Structures are given as structure tokens and as C-alpha cells.
Amino acid sequence: MYTQALDVPDSTPAAPQAVPWVAGPAEAALQERFDLKIDADQKIEPQDWMPQAYRRTLVRQISQHAHSEIIGMQPEGNWISRAPSLKRKAILLAKVQDEGGHGLYLYSAAETLGTSRDQLLDGLHTGKAKYSSIFNYPTLTWADVGVIGWLVDGAAIMNQVPICRCSYGPYARAMIRICKEESFHQRQGFESLMTMMKGTEGQRAMVQEAVNRWWWPVLAMFGPPDADSPNSAQGMRWGIKRISNDALRQKFVDATVPQAAIMGVTLPDSELRWNEERQQHDYGAIDWDEFWATVNGNGPCNKERLATRVKAHTDGQWVRDAALTYAAKQKARALKEAA
Ligand SMILES: [Fe+2]
Ligand SMILES: [Fe+2]
């Protein structure tokens, strides 16, 4: 899933460089060629020269995105064994596997920038790297699974479609496939909730209660207001970010309000109303203190999510060892046969 303006600062600043970088005439020419490519909307590829800050920003954003995908497997994975029917279980299994796949494409894209998978995972496992705040909220009922598909994946699509046009080639190409799969995730969530809304009074109440809990954290997924996002302008200049946080949030609200009406649920915001003059919806204030507390490790499930991830990684050590041993054996055999 999910960039949440996914370029919030990680906990540790970039390591100091042994040799400070000083721009000379050669770098100036390279910089000029880079700027021309960006202005012409051409893709930057891994072998191309790029400014260090561009590379660093991309590594941070793509790895935060990858971490979000794999941490995002947890809240829903939690419900695979309790899905109410074989059909729902098969859909949920496929969705959670998709999220794992999204993480893998994105780690691969980040690796093309010269940072190893081990370094990226180490950042996540030691709590230095961030991931989307939304996955630190619990999934208390089956309706939460549908609401995640409808709203969380829906917000993710809004955020991620513009990244298909990102200036960095490997990231843009990974996003094209990811967005197609996110679209299925959103639809299955909506369909699951619609089914519940046609069910019993208790089922309808369960959907409404889940919507009430997820609505505000989902709006916060788009990241801090534009006025508080000092790096956004640079991201726009580099063609990494195409649409501002507030503009994406507004598009999401405008798209979701009619869907909620079709579904028959109320969005928990007394200030939500159509503004005839702006031709957009007005909505209430987001609790940014809660957002930052969650991003910085103090949300309802941060500790649990990280501990589960670290345990999964540790438990999988034998698989990595076996794969490396097998690869070494194959290589030795190939060398012997070639000799
Ligand atoms: Fe995803
Ligand atoms: Fe998804």
C-alpha cells in the first residue's frame, strides 16, 4: 500500500561523509544534464548520474514505501484464519500476498540506488526507518478488513497513481503494476462492506463502527498539510512528487463521499459538507498530534507490528541460509564442469 507523503524524516540523519562533496565543473555539467532530463519529463535510470540528495530522498521514500507494504500485511493477515467464508479467505489471502509482492518490487527498486536489502531491512527492524502510520491501528472486527480495502487501499491508489509518472524509472515502473493490484484491493473491500450492509442490523453497525475508527487516520495517511511539508517543493521539482498532500486528500474526500452514500454509512465528521463555491467538500480538522505520535512509535500497535516483523525475519533465517548454500553449491558445480 502506501506512501503517506511517505517521505517523513527517518530517525537518524544521513551519515557524515568521509570526503565532503564539492561541486566542480564536471558536476555542474552533469547537474545541468540531469535538470534538462527532469524538465523534459524523461526518466532517470540507475546508471545515470543523479544529485546525492535526489538519490537519498528516493532511497528513503521507496524504502518507507516497501516497509509499509510488508508491515501492512499484518493487520489483515491477522484475519486470514477467521475469514467468514472460503471465498473471503481466498480473496484475503491473495490480497495479503499482493502486499508482500509490492514490498519486494519496491525493495528491488530501492536496491538499484546502491543500498542493499540488508541495510534497508536493518533500518526497519531497528526502528530507525518509518512506515505508514495507518498500519499501527488494530483490526478489531471483520468489518475492519473491508474498511482497509475500501478506504486504506483507496487512499493508497490516490497517492500512488501519480507515482507511476515519477522521474525515477524503476520506481515508476514498479508502481504501474502495484496500482493495478491496489485497484482490486479497493474493490474487494467495497464489495465486502456492501454485502454486510445488506445483511443484519448487527452487521451494518459493525461496518459503521469500523468506518468511524478508520476515517480520520486514513485522512492523515496523505501526510502533513502542505504548509508543514517543507520538502514537498523539492520533491515536485525533481518529479518525484506530482500532486501535493492537501490536493490528494481533497481528491480522496471528494471521491469517497458519494461511495459512502451508496454504501449507506456516515462519515464521522460533522463539518463534512459540499462547498458550492469551491466545488469541493469541506472537512473538519485532522488531529496531527495523533499522527506524529503514531509515526514516531507511540501508536496503538507500533511495538507489536515491529516485534512481529523482527520475529518473522529471525524465523526465516534458515531459508536465507539454505538459499545461499544452494547458490554456492550450484556455482561450485558450474565451475567444476567448466574446468
Ligand atoms: Fe500494496
Ligand atoms: Fe493494497
Side-chain angles (χ1 to χ4, degrees):
M1 296 185 201
Y2 314 74
T3 59
Q4 71 188 345
L6 250 186
D7 191 27
V8 292
D10 283 339
S11 301
T12 41
Q17 291 174 281
V19 181
W21 185 75
V22 182
E27 281 79 12
L30 290 165
Q31 175 78 49
E32 197 182 333
R33 197 187 307 162
F34 172 86
D35 288 342
L36 284 172
K37 265 194 180 171
I38 296 279
D39 290 341
D41 225 359
Q42 290 175 358
K43 293 279 178 262
I44 307 297
E45 296 296 339
Q47 68 276 16
D48 294 339
W49 183 92
M50 62 188 86
Q52 293 192 0
Y54 175 84
R55 185 184 299 275
R56 261 202 314 270
T57 298
L58 278 169
V59 169
R60 189 172 58 228
Q61 177 168 335
I62 301 172
S63 62
Q64 286 184 6
H65 192 166
H67 301 330
S68 304
E69 299 283 354
I70 59 168
I71 293 282
M73 297 168 77
Q74 291 184 36
E76 292 178 286
N78 187 21
W79 278 91
I80 291 172
S81 61
R82 293 177 286 165
S85 69
L86 181 59
K87 175 183 151 185
R88 294 291 170 203
K89 185 172 178 138
I91 293 171
L92 186 55
L93 264 172
K95 179 183 190 289
V96 172
Q97 284 180 342
D98 281 354
E99 306 301 3
H102 297 172
L104 298 184
Y105 312 152
L106 290 164
Y107 283 126
S108 299
E111 282 182 301
T112 64
L113 291 155
T115 308
S116 73
R117 180 85 55 108
D118 285 344
Q119 283 174 290
L120 298 169
L121 285 175
D122 190 59
L124 174 64
H125 295 160
T126 54
K128 287 179 197 145
K130 304 295 186 205
Y131 58 85
S132 180
S133 57
I134 198 73
F135 302 117
N136 292 311
Y137 290 87
T139 39
L140 304 179
T141 69
W142 171 250
D144 289 35
V145 172
V147 171
I148 288 181
W150 176 39
L151 296 180
V152 177
D153 288 272
I157 293 167
M158 209 52 100
N159 242 329
Q160 293 180 355
V161 165
I163 307 176
C164 298
R165 294 186 291 117
C166 159
S167 61
Y168 187 58
Y171 193 22
R173 290 188 288 273
M175 290 317 299
I176 291 169
R177 177 162 170 184
I178 289 176
C179 283
K180 286 182 182 159
E181 293 176 350
E182 297 300 0
S183 168
F184 148 68
H185 298 171
Q186 197 266 355
R187 281 165 190 224
Q188 66 80 35
F190 188 83
E191 193 268 341
S192 172
L193 296 176
M194 277 302 274
T195 305
M196 292 179 76
M197 291 303 285
K198 288 178 196 150
T200 64
E201 197 53 50
Q203 285 174 308
R204 279 191 287 278
M206 191 191 280
V207 172
Q208 182 62 60
E209 190 272 334
V211 169
N212 292 349
R213 276 185 289 111
W214 287 92
W215 177 250
W216 290 105
V218 165
L219 289 192
M221 272 175 74
F222 292 91
D226 295 346
D228 301 330
S229 305
N231 295 327
S232 284
Q234 182 63 75
M236 295 257 193
R237 175 67 190 89
W238 279 332
I240 297 174
K241 196 170 176 62
R242 299 286 185 178
I243 305 177
S244 80
N245 296 354
D246 286 332
L248 285 169
R249 191 166 13 245
Q250 183 71 57
K251 272 162 75 91
F252 174 77
V253 171
D254 291 338
T256 308
V257 167
Q259 294 172 9
I262 291 168
M263 198 182 283
V265 293
T266 309
L267 298 171
D269 179 358
S270 58
E271 294 174 52
L272 184 64
R273 61 181 59 87
W274 179 250
N275 182 322
E276 191 58 39
E277 205 175 303
R278 292 200 304 124
Q279 289 290 300
Q280 289 173 328
H281 290 86
D282 292 334
Y283 55 90
I286 295 167
D287 183 349
W288 292 110
D289 290 341
E290 179 185 320
F291 170 78
W292 284 114
T294 308
V295 167
N296 290 322
N298 300 311
C301 301
N302 294 58
K303 289 178 184 64
E304 182 188 329
R305 299 286 184 247
L306 204 53
T308 303
R309 172 90 272 282
V310 170
K311 182 176 184 306
H313 189 72
T314 310
D315 290 351
Q317 185 62 46
W318 70 271
V319 180
R320 293 189 295 279
D321 290 345
L324 287 171
T325 307
Y326 181 71
K329 266 192 194 166
Q330 292 286 92
K331 196 176 167 191
R333 188 176 300 161
L335 282 173
K336 207 170 159 190
E337 280 168 11

